[in-house]
Structures are given as structure tokens and as C-alpha cells.
Amino acid sequence: MALPVPLPRAPLPSEGGSAFWYEHELGWATAAGPPVALLTGLRFDVLELPADAGAAVLRRIGAAGTGPVALAAGRMRLLVAAGGADELPGLLDWLEWGGVALDLTAVGAGGRMTAPEPLGRPRGPTGAAPGGSFGGRPGAEQGAAVWLRPPEPGREVEPTLPALTHFGHGPGGSAGLGDRGGGVPDLVRLVDTAATECHRVRLLRGESTGTKSQPLAFS
């Protein structure tokens, strides 16, 4: 009796490569490259905004208010809880940012983001991004994907990701957003701060463009 021939197996990530590190050290799903990509919507979603706006967000919120943060090609990518991408339009409306052009987007289920090179394996020159230096991350100047706030191997990423808090009752019984506990960063605060800084950056860029293009009043 002929034995059934097994189906061919998908190639395993090469040991020591970026995909191997992400899958075996962090347990994150990847897609083969180049470049290697991280699949979103499984363990996390991503908020994406201009790097200069993102730098202001990081200064305002601090490390305790975000999860891992990456930078690539002038765009900052903030990891948030899975499902957060679907919540973004509703949150922007609720925060009264609906209909305002912000250049704030989200990547969720079925998406992917370029995988930054794991720390300790630098490539390219030390650089900076718009809005100032980002800690001298290798490759940032040339647009390579780098971690600004990297994930920690051996630690579950979900507890560090900004997520929606439960609706509850605020002081005095007033309805409001309550803390879901466990020190989880608040997605509402992050989105509101990101929207504010994106709007500020767009206004500043518009003022700069207008100053250069508009003739003087007395000319």
C-alpha cells in the first residue's frame, strides 16, 4: 500500500534572521521579505503618524503611556492593542476630531508593518528623524525601520499596549471612561494626543508654506 506523500512544508525562518528572532523571541507572526514584515491584527495593531508629530506625542505621554514604538521613512508607528485600528474612526468622532484631516491612520487585521532590525544588530549609519534625534538609532536617517521603544523578549506585549478602558462612572457618579486596571496605557488618551499633535504639525506646515508663497502686503 502506497503511503500518502505529505504536503510540502513552508520554509522556516533562517536561524539568526529577523523573522526567526520575532517568531521565537517574541512569538509574533511574520511575513517573508525582503523586507521582513510583522503581521498586524493578531497580537497588536498600529497607529501611524508623521515622525515630528509622533516625537511630540512621546514627549507628552512618556514611556508608561505607550507600547513599543517604531520609526520608518519619516513615519512613527505606535503599537496598540489588537482591535484598536477598528476603534480609531469612532474615537476620533467621539473626541470631536471627525472630519479633520490629520494624517493619522491605523493598520489592523490583515495588515503588516516593516519589521525593524532587532536591537543589537545595527545596520546603517546613526541618524535622526524630523523633530530631533531619536536616540541615535542606526539607520533612522536613511528611512530604515528602527525601534524607538523596543519590545522586550520574554515579556508578553499585550499588557503594555494602549487599549480602550471600560466605560464606568467617574467621581461623583458621573459617567466617563474608567481605568480597566493593571496599569494598561489608555488608547483614548493616546489617540487624542496623537490627533492634537498631527493637527498642530499640519498647521505649522501650512503656516510655513503660506509664509513662503504669499507676497508681502506692501510689495
Side-chain angles (χ1 to χ4, degrees), residues 22 28-31 35-40 44-48 68-72 77-79 107 111-116 145-147:
Y22 279 107
W28 294 5
T30 66
V36 173
L38 304 176
L39 303 185
T40 58
F44 56 84
D45 287 353
V46 175
L47 292 185
E48 186 174 302
V69 180
L71 177 72
R77 294 163 180 170
L78 296 89
L79 272 60
V107 185
R112 60 182 63 187
M113 64 171 275
T114 301
V146 295
W147 284 115

Side-chain angles (χ1 to χ4, degrees), residues 26-102:
L26 299 180
W28 294 5
T30 66
V36 173
L38 304 176
L39 303 185
T40 58
L42 302 176
R43 302 286 300 275
F44 56 84
D45 287 353
V46 175
L47 292 185
E48 186 174 302
L49 65 164
D52 41 4
V57 170
L58 298 189
R59 287 194 297 268
R60 288 183 56 183
I61 289 186
T66 73
V69 180
L71 177 72
R75 304 284 294 178
M76 195 170 291
R77 294 163 180 170
L78 296 89
L79 272 60
V80 300
D86 293 335
E87 302 290 349
L88 181 61
L91 281 178
L92 291 175
D93 285 340
W94 186 71
L95 293 165
E96 300 185 349
W97 287 107
V100 180
L102 296 172

Side-chain angles (χ1 to χ4, degrees), residues 181-201:
V184 175
D186 184 7
L187 180 63
V188 175
R189 182 190 178 203
L190 177 62
V191 168
D192 193 31
T193 305
T196 299
E197 296 304 331
C198 284
H199 186 57
R200 190 193 312 275
V201 165

